[in-house]
Amino acid sequence: MSFLCRIARRTLVYVTSMCLAFASLANQSFCQGPAPSQIDVETVYLFNFAKFVRWPAERDGEQLNICIAAQKAYSDSASRVVAGEQIGTRRLAVKLVSRPEDVSGCAILFVGLAAKDHLNDLLNAAAQHATLTVSDIPGFLEQRGMISLFVVNNRVRFSVNLENVDRSGLSLSSELLKVAVQVQGKSPGVGAR
Amino acid sequence: MRIESIPISKLLFLIAVAQLLGRPPMSSAEQQPASQSPASKLKSLSLEELGNVEVTTFSKESEDIWNTPAAVFVLTKDDIHRSGATTIPELLRLVPGVSVARSQSGAWSIGIRGFASGFSKGLLVLIDGRSVYTPLFEGVYWDIQDVVLSDIERIEVIRGSGGTIWGANAVNGVINIITKKAADTLGGFADVSAGGTITRFVGQVRYGMGLGTGTYLRMFAKGFNRGAEDNPLGDPYDDWHQARGGFRLDMQRTQRDSLMVSSMVYGGKTGDQNTIGEFYPPSQLVVDGEQSVSGGDILVRWDHSTPAQSNFYLQGYFDRTNRATSQFTETRNAIDLDFIDHLTTLPHQEVTLGAGLRESPSHLIQTQATVNFAPNRINNYVYSLFFQDSIRIVPDRLTLTLGSKFVDDKYSGWGTQPSAEILWRPATMTSLWASVARALRTPGRLDRDLSLLGNIAASGPNGPIFLQVEGNPQFVPEVLIGWNAGMRQLFPHELYVDIAAFHNQHDDLESYGGPAQLFTFPTNPYPYEQINIQFGNGLRGVSDGLEIAPDWKLFHWMELRGSYSHVHVALHSRPGYSQESYASSVEGSSPHREALAQAIFTLPHSVQLDADYRFVSALPANDVPSYQTANASAIYRLGEHVELRASGRNLLQPRHQETLGANSNQVSIKREAFGGLNWSW
């Protein structure tokens, strides 16, 4: 086992010296923590979307509910993101939803993979309430969804189906569309990356 | 549809969704310490910046694992990255129930649940849907199976007969290697490992780019040079070097259609040693000869999905392998077409239909009078059809899957391989499953067409003694009826436990056929004796065993994993055969007990430390004692682009033997340490 100790000691000395050497060369922050999780980035997207959507005027003053039909990890993350936040006059809140009738109070509805089999019912319910629908289920935009989140090269990006957004009476700001990877249901060229 | 008209059963399910607790199992997501809030940092970013944040993704397949009625284990890209392994077989050591024994630098004996040998049969190995087994011996040449390891998305291993859904030869298990989509490997990446006694140099480089909407291309190249392991006869014959390159192109044409084209070519040398029998003195010749290997493949796959109706894929590939050994040269082509359609139109059912066609013409050139496969030109085709119906008896609780596969091959005609599986999920974080399946291992050229003359004694009373082993044109498929059961449970505090047990009934297993016949040839000037023996389906018996694999995420910075596998094989002769010694050689060629313990540390300052220890019991048939050894690796991230790593392998002793080497050499596997560096841009 003395061999192991030798290896360990050498490795430690090596790593320490390398860290010091490189850290002095660059002024970047080394030794950073782990990358954020996909869940956190997706829920921050939901928070951001809330800023770029215009809901019909009758909703002014109401609490802005971000509804999560997904694993609890998503609603936990979303709760941390929106804690104490307000957009205009609307206070933000997170609701974990399970039944289509819960969707009535939702400004934004996120559907995760766990609720994949019930996507249809949830979207039907959302269609009656001017709700922005977001999901990371593949093929979401083809199933009447509005914003689809997906991972490219370990980065979370999104595409929009404008036709489905228009049908609901919502409007999205051009700033949002500019950043989308793809904007469907609109003349090409507008939603360039 | 109006809400009021939604049936109660659906509402009940939706309530269940709400009860989904916590995070997905095995996911690396959400490992943030509770004290700091990464979310608040993310909130300050613009939308554009948010899209450039690199994230740790969780495996979407984790949900699928809970719903798989089979013993399944997934090695993730993170596991692969941290392992310090530089070959696919070394990665497979981390999978419970898989026995990996290195017989020399570039050769392994890999088996699932017993039945391991250098010519392990009945194991289906797929690389991006391409089956890499060879009908020459119905097994896998592991020395030519390689990819850029950091481009692997995951390796799924199913233990037990996956006979129904997968291709032919999946009797003891399936190893499915899936590479990343080109969209997930954008930019440049270069990686070098060097400095070990075995791992002298491994270099890999990859570049990925976008080519317009939804189209991505990855190009890669890899080369390595590995040294010889320790041969007590002092003859280091097993140097191993190889180079390969290729590309993968992914096109998402519409939301419904995607196309994948991938291709790879390789060439290299695998050191080897053989004893060749000769009729004239000295009767046997030990030949050190490199095997020259080369080949390439191109695969096209089209995926189409119609939401809520069906998704199918159609794939075709061409695969060519060349191998020149000191005894023969084989050139083999495989042309393969597969179609699989999942239909989801029926309520509470998922129907899968599939068909496969594989033509594998080969040409063998005999280079030694003593080894031949006749005829030299042959087409080993395999046609298969299958269907499967998964019936959700109680949605998200109880699923029954029934199916069958029908396989026709060159040697044995159509065979039926039915299976039935049941899966019960009493709670979201519990699943229990059981299955029974019949699986066939189709005959290979070795069983049917071999003609091998080996010298077993350089001198005897009537001259040297030769053993003539002949393939058997009457060899029929080996039959397995496998009974499997298992459970997966996520306990509080992130303790995940996977238990699987099996009882396999084997019949028509390969052995020698009738009794050996002795002939004396008093021919001058070199008289000799010859024992003739032929393969046959002379064995039957049972194998029983279990695997327990806990995985405990103790803290966000520390994870402990382990596995214990036990297999007991008991074979005996079928009526009319007397093959007890063959039986005990099969029983004693794979370890009956294996244990693995892993400690995985994710430390502050971007340091990752991994260590594993394993115990493998003896192989009495190969005269190999039990052994225990350990691996360790450390990774240190230097900023955004550079990563350093150090690996130590087989650390507990200078050398240890794992199985018999080529030519029955008692080759020992050496301890080694090497360093590595990767750079992405």
Side-chain angles (χ1 to χ4, degrees):
Chain A
M1 294 305 275
S2 66
F3 171 81
L4 274 180
C5 297
R6 260 204 329 270
I7 290 266
R9 219 169 21 238
R10 267 189 221 162
T11 311
L12 191 67
V13 170
Y14 179 67
V15 167
T16 316
S17 60
M18 290 308 271
C19 190
L20 289 175
F22 279 84
S24 59
L25 286 178
N27 51 11
Q28 234 183 324
S29 69
F30 287 106
C31 311
Q32 325 127 325
S37 79
Q38 183 179 346
I39 294 178
D40 283 339
V41 172
E42 290 191 5
T43 54
V44 172
Y45 264 116
L46 296 180
F47 168 65
N48 273 300
F49 293 155
K51 299 184 212 161
F52 295 107
V53 179
R54 239 197 0 259
W55 277 272
E58 70 260 27
R59 288 218 159 179
D60 284 352
E62 269 178 43
Q63 178 169 284
L64 196 155
N65 286 324
I66 297 180
C67 297
I68 308 282
Q71 285 168 313
K72 198 165 165 289
Y74 280 92
S75 59
D76 290 348
S77 166
S79 302
R80 285 196 299 268
V81 171
V82 307
E85 291 285 346
Q86 200 164 342
I87 291 175
T89 57
R90 304 183 67 177
R91 270 172 35 77
L92 288 168
V94 170
K95 253 174 71 181
L96 186 64
V97 301
S98 53
R99 294 173 302 175
E101 53 261 48
D102 294 341
V103 173
S104 60
C106 299
I108 297 179
L109 171 67
F110 175 82
V111 187
L113 218 60
K116 185 178 69 174
D117 291 349
H118 301 273
L119 182 59
N120 233 335
D121 297 340
L122 290 166
L123 287 184
N124 281 333
Q128 307 173 6
H129 301 290
T131 302
L132 180 81
T133 56
V134 185
S135 175
D136 56 5
I137 297 172
F140 181 62
L141 298 188
E142 294 241 315
Q143 299 178 59
R144 295 173 298 130
M146 300 178 196
I147 300 184
S148 161
L149 295 170
F150 52 92
V151 177
V152 181
N153 210 24
N154 297 323
R155 287 154 176 89
V156 182
R157 301 284 173 85
F158 67 95
S159 286
V160 179
N161 188 317
L162 219 47
E163 219 173 282
N164 297 342
V165 177
D166 290 345
R167 206 181 296 135
S168 68
L170 300 176
S171 59
L172 302 184
S173 89
S174 60
E175 256 175 284
L176 183 79
L177 298 180
K178 247 186 289 171
V179 184
V181 171
Q182 210 188 351
V183 178
Q184 297 180 3
K186 200 175 183 186
S187 58
V190 178
R193 30 164 111 199
Chain B
M1 185 199 256
R2 291 184 57 81
I3 299 167
E4 290 76 9
S5 64
I6 295 170
I8 294 291
S9 64
K10 285 209 167 163
L11 292 180
L12 287 176
F13 165 77
L14 289 167
I15 293 164
V17 170
Q19 291 165 350
L20 282 176
L21 288 171
R23 47 215 98 185
M26 318 291 290
S27 88
S28 56
E30 254 237 323
Q31 289 182 344
Q32 318 293 346
S35 53
Q36 73 189 67
S37 167
S40 58
K41 231 187 293 174
L42 294 171
K43 261 158 62 182
S44 60
L45 302 178
S46 73
L47 266 184
E48 234 158 344
E49 290 166 333
L50 195 59
N52 285 319
V53 171
E54 199 163 332
V55 297
T56 56
T57 53
F58 49 89
S59 165
K60 303 260 183 208
E61 285 68 28
S62 59
E63 183 59 22
D64 291 347
I65 287 181
W66 288 97
N67 288 327
T68 302
V72 62
F73 185 88
V74 176
L75 214 52
T76 64
K77 56 190 169 192
D78 198 40
D79 299 332
I80 293 165
H81 176 70
R82 304 184 61 139
S83 67
T86 57
T87 61
I88 291 172
E90 294 299 312
L91 284 173
L92 296 175
R93 289 191 195 276
L94 300 174
V95 182
V98 178
S99 297
V100 177
R102 199 168 194 162
S103 58
Q104 64 177 51
S105 185
W108 286 264
S109 151
I110 298 180
I112 294 184
R113 296 179 164 176
F115 298 94
S117 84
F119 300 113
S120 292
K121 303 168 170 77
L123 208 58
L124 177 67
V125 181
L126 299 163
I127 299 178
D128 281 334
R130 177 171 57 93
S131 167
V132 297
Y133 87 104
T134 169
L136 186 67
F137 59 91
E138 291 290 302
V140 173
Y141 276 121
W142 284 103
D143 62 335
I144 55 170
Q145 312 311 338
D146 199 9
V147 295
V148 173
L149 295 191
S150 50
D151 288 349
I152 299 178
E153 174 68 32
R154 63 184 190 278
I155 300 179
E156 298 174 351
V157 178
I158 296 177
R159 313 185 293 276
S161 48
T164 302
I165 195 94
W166 304 87
N169 220 26
V171 179
N172 298 321
V174 181
I175 296 172
N176 196 2
I177 299 163
I178 297 154
T179 68
K180 291 175 185 168
K181 290 184 172 169
D184 295 331
T185 52
L186 296 182
F189 176 82
D191 180 288
V192 176
S193 299
T197 42
I198 308 303
T199 311
R200 288 175 183 152
F201 172 82
V202 182
Q204 42 196 21
V205 54
R206 166 248 288 164
Y207 189 77
M209 57 191 156
L211 302 171
T213 318
T215 303
Y216 299 92
L217 174 69
R218 166 169 83 229
M219 294 171 291
F220 59 88
K222 178 174 185 176
F224 63 77
N225 182 339
R226 293 171 205 270
E229 298 287 3
D230 190 66
N231 183 1
L233 299 176
D235 188 5
Y237 58 83
D238 54 333
D239 277 35
W240 179 33
H241 55 91
Q242 215 169 79
R244 67 178 60 225
F247 71 87
R248 172 173 170 154
L249 179 73
D250 285 301
M251 284 184 276
Q252 185 80 42
R253 300 313 301 177
T254 66
Q255 284 272 335
R256 294 177 178 203
D257 293 283
S258 63
L259 193 71
M260 192 260 272
V261 182
S262 73
S263 178
M264 189 150 69
V265 293
Y266 67 90
K269 307 247 190 221
T270 309
D272 195 16
Q273 192 182 63
N274 276 300
T275 299
I276 291 167
E278 305 279 4
F279 286 112
Y280 40 83
S283 308
Q284 48 175 249
L285 210 61
V286 176
V287 181
D288 285 3
E290 288 175 326
Q291 298 196 7
S292 276
V293 294
S294 64
D297 64 82
I298 180 158
L299 180 143
V300 181
R301 174 178 163 140
W302 170 39
D303 275 281
H304 177 88
S305 74
T306 312
Q309 285 180 31
S310 89
N311 54 75
F312 68 77
Y313 76 78
L314 177 65
Q315 78 170 19
Y317 61 85
F318 171 76
D319 189 350
R320 183 185 178 89
T321 55
N322 302 298
R323 179 174 296 262
T325 77
S326 55
Q327 295 169 308
F328 60 84
T329 295
E330 193 203 37
T331 301
R332 176 173 293 279
N333 295 323
I335 300 107
D336 197 302
L337 277 175
D338 296 288
F339 172 78
I340 293 182
D341 194 1
H342 295 278
L343 296 163
T344 46
T345 40
L346 293 170
H348 306 300
Q349 283 182 69
E350 182 174 334
V351 178
T352 307
L353 301 168
L357 173 159
R358 185 184 183 90
E359 303 279 344
S360 186
S362 66
H363 180 205
L364 190 128
I365 300 167
Q366 193 183 0
T367 52
Q368 283 289 336
T370 48
V371 182
N372 197 20
F373 290 83
N376 289 145
R377 283 180 190 277
I378 195 166
N379 177 14
N380 289 91
Y381 63 81
V382 182
Y383 304 140
S384 59
L385 292 170
F386 70 82
F387 77 91
Q388 181 179 288
D389 190 4
S390 283
I391 305 152
R392 290 189 286 275
I393 299 172
V394 181
D396 296 285
R397 284 284 180 269
L398 192 63
T399 306
L400 175 70
T401 305
L402 299 169
S404 186
K405 181 172 187 103
F406 307 92
V407 176
D408 175 28
D409 76 292
K410 166 82 186 163
Y411 297 116
S412 39
W414 288 95
T416 310
Q417 306 184 36
S419 71
E421 291 125 12
I422 192 149
L423 180 97
W424 180 39
R425 290 187 69 177
T428 321
M429 294 305 164
T430 308
S431 73
L432 293 150
W433 57 270
S435 71
V436 57
R438 179 180 193 263
L440 299 174
R441 198 276 288 175
T442 56
R445 295 207 71 191
L446 192 78
D447 311 307
R448 301 280 287 223
D449 305 333
L450 175 74
S451 171
L452 167 76
L453 185 74
N455 180 280
I456 54 171
S459 64
N462 302 309
I465 305 169
F466 291 89
L467 179 70
Q468 174 82 39
V469 184
E470 292 281 342
N472 185 343
Q474 266 80 51
F475 193 90
V476 296
E478 296 179 342
V479 183
L480 168 88
I481 295 175
W483 302 81
N484 287 272
M487 76 169 292
R488 286 175 272 267
Q489 171 76 45
L490 184 65
F491 293 100
H493 309 292
E494 302 258 346
L495 173 63
Y496 173 81
V497 179
D498 186 336
I499 300 174
F502 63 95
H503 171 71
N504 286 338
Q505 297 166 292
H506 305 271
D507 204 352
D508 288 329
L509 286 182
E510 183 196 81
S511 67
Y512 290 130
Q517 292 169 290
L518 180 73
F519 299 93
T520 304
F521 296 90
T523 337
N524 284 324
Y526 303 121
Y528 66 97
E529 284 188 315
Q530 184 174 322
I531 299 166
N532 280 7
I533 204 152
Q534 197 177 30
F535 285 126
N537 298 91
L539 293 176
R540 62 166 53 149
V542 294
S543 58
D544 300 280
L546 86 163
E547 297 107 14
I548 302 171
D551 181 340
W552 193 12
K553 291 187 175 67
L554 226 66
F555 306 108
H556 72 272
W557 53 271
M558 180 182 183
E559 180 179 346
L560 298 174
R561 283 188 202 172
S563 70
Y564 174 75
S565 318
H566 177 90
V567 57
H568 177 75
V569 185
L571 305 178
H572 56 269
S573 304
R574 298 179 66 232
Y577 291 86
S578 177
Q579 295 294 334
E580 302 311 325
S581 62
Y582 202 99
S584 56
S585 107
V586 175
E587 288 165 3
S589 312
S590 10
H592 291 183
R593 287 174 296 136
E594 286 189 65
L596 176 75
Q598 268 180 284
I600 299 164
F601 301 95
T602 306
L603 302 177
H605 308 295
S606 300
V607 175
Q608 300 180 340
L609 293 177
D610 288 63
D612 66 68
Y613 157 90
R614 72 176 187 276
F615 163 82
V616 181
S617 70
L619 309 181
N622 295 353
D623 216 8
V624 175
S626 69
Y627 73 89
Q628 38 196 319
T629 193
N631 299 320
S633 72
I635 296 177
Y636 174 63
R637 200 167 179 89
L638 270 178
E640 215 185 319
H641 300 293
V642 179
E643 204 174 74
L644 300 172
R645 81 186 166 260
S647 290
R649 307 201 57 87
N650 306 311
L651 293 173
L652 297 192
Q653 60 281 98
R655 64 191 64 81
H656 69 277
Q657 195 187 348
E658 297 186 357
T659 185
L660 274 188
N663 208 24
S664 297
N665 280 310
Q666 308 273 335
V667 172
S668 291
I669 305 308
K670 294 185 198 167
R671 170 160 67 201
E672 69 162 338
F674 53 89
L677 180 145
N678 70 55
W679 177 48
S680 47
W681 69 91

